[in-house]
Amino acid sequence: GYKIMNLIEKGLMYFKSEGLSYTLKKTTHKIYKEIKKIPSIVIEKLYAEKVVIQLANIFKGKDVYIIIPCIDWNIPLYQRPHQIASELAKRQNAMVLFIPDQYEYDNFPIYKVVNDNLWLFSNRIIEKLDKLLKHANSKVVFMSWTRHADLLYKFQYDKLVYEYIDDMSLFYYYNEQMEETHRRLMRQSDITICTATKLYKTALKYTDKAILNENAGDYEFFKNNRNAPIANELVDIIDKYDCVIGYYGCLAYWFDYSTICEVAKRRKKWLFVLIGYEFDHSFEVIKRQKYANIIHIPAQPYHRLPSFVSGFDIQTIPFVINEVTKSTSPVKLFEYMASGKPIVTSKLPECLKYESALIYEDANEFIERVEYLSKLDKSDKYYHKLEKEALENAWASRIDKILESLKMEDKND
C-alpha cells in the first residue's frame, strides 16, 4: 500500500509538470504491478493461514494421500495421477489432497473440493501441510516428477511412493541432474512404482523396493457409456466409410504416421479419426498430404471420450518402437478394453502382454488385423477375452497392490 501511495504522489507531480499523457505512461504500469502483488500476499499470509486452521479438523484421524502431480487436475487428459486420486478417494477412511502446480488449467486460490474425499489444494499450501494435517492418522505422498523433489523437505510425511512412469529422456529438460534426482528418489522412497517391465528392471539396479504396477482403465465409466450417443463431430462423416478406426492421445514423434498413411492410401473407405493435441510438429506430415480419410479432432474432455468411441469400429495404438515407447504402458489400452471395441496396436512390449490387443508390424499386418476383427461376431471368444482383460486391469486392482505393498513395508519396518 505504501509503495502505491508513493507512486500516486509521484504521478501527481508528473501531471503538474508534464501533463496527463506522460503521467499515465510513467506511472500506470508501475502501479498495476504493485496492485497485482497484493492478492498473492493476502492469500499466502492471511487467507491460507485461516484456511489451514479451519480445515485441520476435517483431516483428523484420516489416512491422507498427498498427490503431487506433473499435470493440472483440469487438463483435458484424465491420466494416471487423476485416476489414482479418484480411486484412493473411494477407500475407507481416506482423504486425498491433489496439489498441482496450476500451470494453465487449474485456477483456484487455495483449495477446491472435487468430492467429500478428494480436494485440490494450491501448491502455496505446501509449507502449511504440517498444520493442516497435524491430526491425520497417516500421510502418504505420491510423486512422479523429479522437479518436485525439493518439496519433500517442506513438510513431514510417513511414506513416499515414487512413480517411475516414463523413460526419463522423454522430458525436454532431461539432463544428468535429473537422473541423479531420479535415482535418489528411488532410494529414498518406501515404494518405487514402475508402470512398465523395462522401467522395473532399471529400477531394481537402485532399489529393492520396486514393484511393477502398470496403468489401468476406469472400467465402470467406459462400460456404462458403451451406448453413448455418437459425437456430433462424427455423426455426418462415419456413414460414408466402411470402417472407422479411432485413436485418442498425443500426436507426437512416437506416433506411427507412416503406417497410418500407407493404410489410408490403400483403404480409401476406411476412416482414421485421430483425437488429441499436437505434442510437437510431427503431425505436419499428415496435414501437408491432406488425406481425405484421416481427420484430426482436438483433445477432448474425458467425459466426452465415450461418445467418440461409439463411432469407432476399431481402436488403435499406432506407436513406433523406440526407447520411449518400450517403457510406455498406455492408459488408453485399458480404456479401449473397457469400452468393448476391438484393438489393434503396434508391437509395444506392454501391449504384448494382452491377448485382446492384436499386434501389427507393418501396413499389411495392420490391414489384416482390421479385416479380421471387422468380421467377428460379438459372441466370438475374442470379445470374451476383451471383457476379461478389461476387468482384470481396472484401477481398483492396481491401487490394491500399491496399498498392500505399503502394508508389507510397515511389517518389514
Side-chain angles (χ1 to χ4, degrees):
Y2 171 76
K3 285 185 179 180
I4 292 173
M5 290 301 298
N6 191 34
L7 286 169
I8 291 172
E9 288 179 8
K10 286 184 178 180
L12 291 172
M13 292 171 58
Y14 292 141
F15 178 69
K16 288 179 182 178
S17 61
E18 305 290 344
L20 180 60
S21 177
Y22 181 82
T23 301
L24 291 173
K25 189 180 294 183
K26 192 78 177 177
T27 62
T28 300
H29 182 62
K30 291 182 178 180
I31 292 173
Y32 176 68
K33 283 174 67 177
E34 292 302 322
I35 289 174
K36 274 190 73 177
K37 293 178 184 177
I38 291 178
S40 62
I41 293 171
V42 172
I43 289 170
E44 290 183 26
K45 293 188 176 180
L46 299 177
Y47 183 48
E49 190 69 28
K50 183 179 179 181
V51 166
V52 164
I53 294 170
Q54 289 177 339
L55 298 181
N57 281 333
I58 292 176
F59 298 94
K60 186 176 182 179
K62 297 292 185 179
D63 296 320
V64 179
Y65 298 97
I66 303 162
I67 297 180
I68 305 177
C70 59
I71 52 179
D72 284 356
W73 178 263
N74 290 301
I75 192 171
L77 291 170
Y78 198 58
Q79 291 293 306
R80 184 181 176 95
H82 309 91
Q83 303 273 16
I84 286 178
S86 298
E87 184 59 37
L88 283 170
K90 298 174 185 175
R91 300 307 167 106
Q92 187 175 5
N93 201 49
M95 290 285 280
V96 178
L97 275 61
F98 193 93
I99 308 180
D101 284 333
Q102 296 179 290
Y103 279 124
E104 184 176 357
Y105 298 95
D106 288 346
N107 183 22
F108 52 89
I110 290 297
Y111 75 94
K112 182 177 180 181
V113 181
V114 178
N115 60 51
D116 288 346
N117 299 327
L118 174 53
W119 296 48
L120 311 185
F121 272 87
S122 166
N123 60 7
R124 289 190 291 269
I125 207 82
I126 287 281
E127 294 181 349
K128 301 182 185 298
L129 281 180
D130 286 341
K131 285 186 178 180
L132 180 68
L133 304 177
K134 63 181 179 180
H135 300 306
N137 180 56
S138 64
K139 293 170 282 185
V140 178
V141 178
F142 281 70
M143 178 178 287
S144 61
W145 210 13
T146 57
R147 291 179 72 173
H148 286 144
D150 288 346
L151 297 179
L152 295 172
Y153 301 105
K154 296 187 176 184
F155 64 97
Q156 296 181 335
Y157 55 89
D158 300 310
K159 298 285 183 182
L160 172 63
V161 176
Y162 177 55
E163 294 208 293
Y164 184 13
I165 59 177
D166 283 304
D167 186 281
M168 304 304 286
S169 64
L170 174 65
F171 299 95
Y172 68 89
Y173 49 82
Y174 174 73
N175 56 33
E176 183 54 37
Q177 179 58 51
M178 184 181 184
E179 278 286 358
E180 288 180 14
T181 305
H182 168 59
R183 292 191 288 267
R184 173 168 59 82
L185 285 169
M186 285 193 285
R187 291 190 292 266
Q188 178 182 348
S189 65
D190 296 277
I191 297 175
T192 294
I193 294 175
C194 306
T195 55
T197 300
K198 184 174 181 287
L199 302 179
Y200 176 63
K201 290 179 178 178
T202 301
L204 290 177
K205 299 175 184 177
Y206 306 102
T207 177
D208 60 357
K209 296 181 180 180
I211 65 169
L212 180 61
N213 193 270
E214 297 94 335
N215 282 315
D218 187 341
Y219 176 79
E220 293 299 327
F221 174 73
F222 283 92
K223 181 181 183 296
N224 293 338
N225 285 284
R226 286 179 183 176
N227 296 315
I230 296 172
N232 291 334
E233 292 91 330
L234 299 181
V235 168
D236 296 329
I237 302 173
I238 59 177
D239 287 343
K240 301 172 185 177
Y241 294 90
D242 297 334
C243 182
V244 180
I245 303 166
Y247 165 87
Y248 60 79
C250 284
L251 294 165
Y253 66 88
W254 56 78
F255 193 91
D256 188 3
Y257 297 108
S258 61
T259 296
I260 297 305
C261 290
E262 180 61 25
V263 174
K265 285 178 188 175
R266 291 163 56 180
R267 293 293 185 271
K268 303 290 188 184
K269 293 295 287 180
W270 290 4
L271 175 68
F272 284 92
V273 179
L274 309 181
I275 303 170
Y277 67 92
E278 298 176 46
F279 183 80
D280 50 32
H281 298 294
S282 61
F283 189 63
E284 292 297 323
V285 66
I286 289 184
K287 285 183 177 179
R288 287 195 300 270
Q289 298 186 48
K290 297 180 180 179
Y291 290 90
N293 59 338
I294 301 178
I295 64 171
H296 173 230
I297 295 172
Q300 297 296 309
Y302 184 71
H303 71 271
R304 290 204 71 207
L305 290 179
S307 67
F308 287 93
V309 173
S310 288
F312 300 163
D313 298 303
I314 306 291
Q315 302 172 106
T316 186
I317 306 177
F319 290 174
V320 297
I321 308 303
N322 59 28
E323 291 308 305
V324 170
T325 60
K326 285 177 183 176
S327 303
T328 299
S329 172
V331 171
K332 66 179 68 62
L333 172 65
F334 309 106
E335 293 173 346
Y336 286 178
M337 291 176 185
S339 72
K341 296 286 182 77
I343 305 165
V344 175
T345 83
S346 58
K347 202 173 182 179
L348 296 168
E350 290 303 309
C351 291
L352 291 172
K353 298 177 180 179
Y354 307 100
E355 293 183 70
S356 59
L358 297 198
I359 306 299
Y360 78 89
E361 291 196 59
D362 57 27
N364 288 332
E365 287 192 351
F366 191 102
I367 291 170
E368 288 174 8
R369 302 295 182 259
V370 170
E371 289 179 339
Y372 168 76
L373 290 170
S374 298
K375 294 174 184 175
L376 294 182
D377 185 86
K378 288 290 179 71
S379 63
D380 188 89
K381 63 181 180 181
Y382 170 83
Y383 283 92
H384 295 294
K385 291 177 185 175
L386 191 65
E387 185 71 9
K388 179 176 180 290
E389 291 186 333
L391 283 165
E392 291 172 347
N393 293 281
W395 280 108
S397 62
R398 300 292 194 260
I399 296 301
D400 286 344
K401 185 175 181 179
I402 293 171
L403 297 182
E404 187 58 37
S405 295
L406 285 172
K407 287 180 183 177
M408 292 297 294
E409 284 303 313
D410 283 336
K411 290 179 182 178
N412 292 336
D413 292 344

